[in-house]
Amino acid sequence: ACAPMWPLGIDEVLPGQEYIKAHPNPFTDIVKLTNVVNAGVTIYNMFGHKVYSSTGIKNNDFSISTASWPAGIYLFVTEQNEGTTINKLVKY
């Protein structure tokens, strides 16, 4: 038997799963994270250099200061019980 399948939109997840959302995107000096519960967050620039990393974040709402980061595209990697997700962030 196959597991049920659901069509998902761009901002949807499987029923029962929460995900970390970063906003605003694009951002300037601060990125705010929501749904952060027992999670690890790592952010890389497009050269593959780690610019931010934190594990065991337990705050539902969490902010990261990005004032010293240059404008560009970043990869936002989150690790929670549901697995690992990778999203794109843009700083202008």
Side-chain angles (χ1 to χ4, degrees):
C2 293
M5 298 195 58
W6 296 273
L8 298 177
I10 194 163
D11 284 333
E12 295 178 309
V13 295
L14 292 173
Q17 291 184 339
E18 294 295 327
Y19 66 101
I20 297 173
K21 186 168 186 174
H23 55 89
N25 192 13
F27 63 94
T28 52
D29 293 335
I30 292 179
V31 171
K32 295 180 182 181
L33 309 178
T34 55
N35 293 333
V36 184
V37 179
N38 295 324
V41 173
T42 307
I43 301 175
Y44 298 92
N45 65 19
M46 290 307 291
F47 298 107
H49 300 137
K50 187 186 307 181
V51 296
Y52 179 84
S53 182
S54 184
T55 59
I57 300 169
K58 297 180 193 260
N59 299 337
N60 187 41
D61 295 312
F62 186 75
S63 296
I64 300 170
S65 175
T66 61
S68 64
W69 300 4
I73 298 172
Y74 295 84
L75 295 178
F76 170 62
V77 180
T78 60
E79 296 178 40
Q80 286 183 294
N81 292 337
E82 292 84 17
T84 301
T85 59
I86 301 172
N87 294 292
K88 182 170 58 170
L89 293 172
V90 178
K91 179 174 181 177
Y92 63 94

